[in-house]
Amino acid sequence: MEPMLAGLPVIMNRIGGGGDADLEGAAVLVEDSVAGYEGALIEMVRCEAHRSRIGIACRDLAAKTWDPVEAEARQAALTRRVLGGALDRASAVAG
């Protein structure tokens, strides 16, 4: 999500089953194959307007759906929980 928030154009493979529906029109969704990625990359390199349009759409979607402060807080809480458990186990062993 960070590249999208920065306004970079994103190419990713389709998830399938409708799991990527919220990315339609923002990220370039391709089949998970060399040919799929190759075609999308060639189009990005050749067409600055396309690259710019996708980057703007990515940034707009990310800004609406992702809060970096909240994501950082969740990651910090998870890290504390995991490390806290490890530190508790280490203390018990050292006892």
Side-chain angles (χ1 to χ4, degrees):
M1 197 55 87
E2 290 90 345
M4 293 177 78
L5 196 60
L8 296 173
V10 172
I11 301 169
M12 60 187 296
N13 61 299
R14 292 188 175 280
I15 298 168
D20 52 15
D22 57 337
L23 296 171
E24 286 288 343
V28 175
L29 303 174
V30 299
E31 296 305 316
D32 190 13
S33 67
V34 171
Y37 280 95
E38 179 181 44
L41 284 168
I42 288 170
E43 180 68 16
M44 288 278 187
V45 170
R46 286 184 177 165
C47 184
E48 183 178 348
H50 175 68
R51 202 170 48 244
S52 178
R53 185 174 62 251
I54 296 300
I56 291 167
C58 283
R59 185 186 63 228
D60 291 348
L61 176 64
K64 284 191 273 188
T65 60
W66 191 70
D67 178 0
V69 173
E70 181 183 322
E72 176 67 24
R74 285 193 315 263
Q75 182 63 42
L78 175 62
T79 300
R80 280 192 299 278
R81 194 168 66 238
V82 169
L83 290 179
L87 293 174
D88 291 342
R89 289 188 299 277
S91 294
V93 170

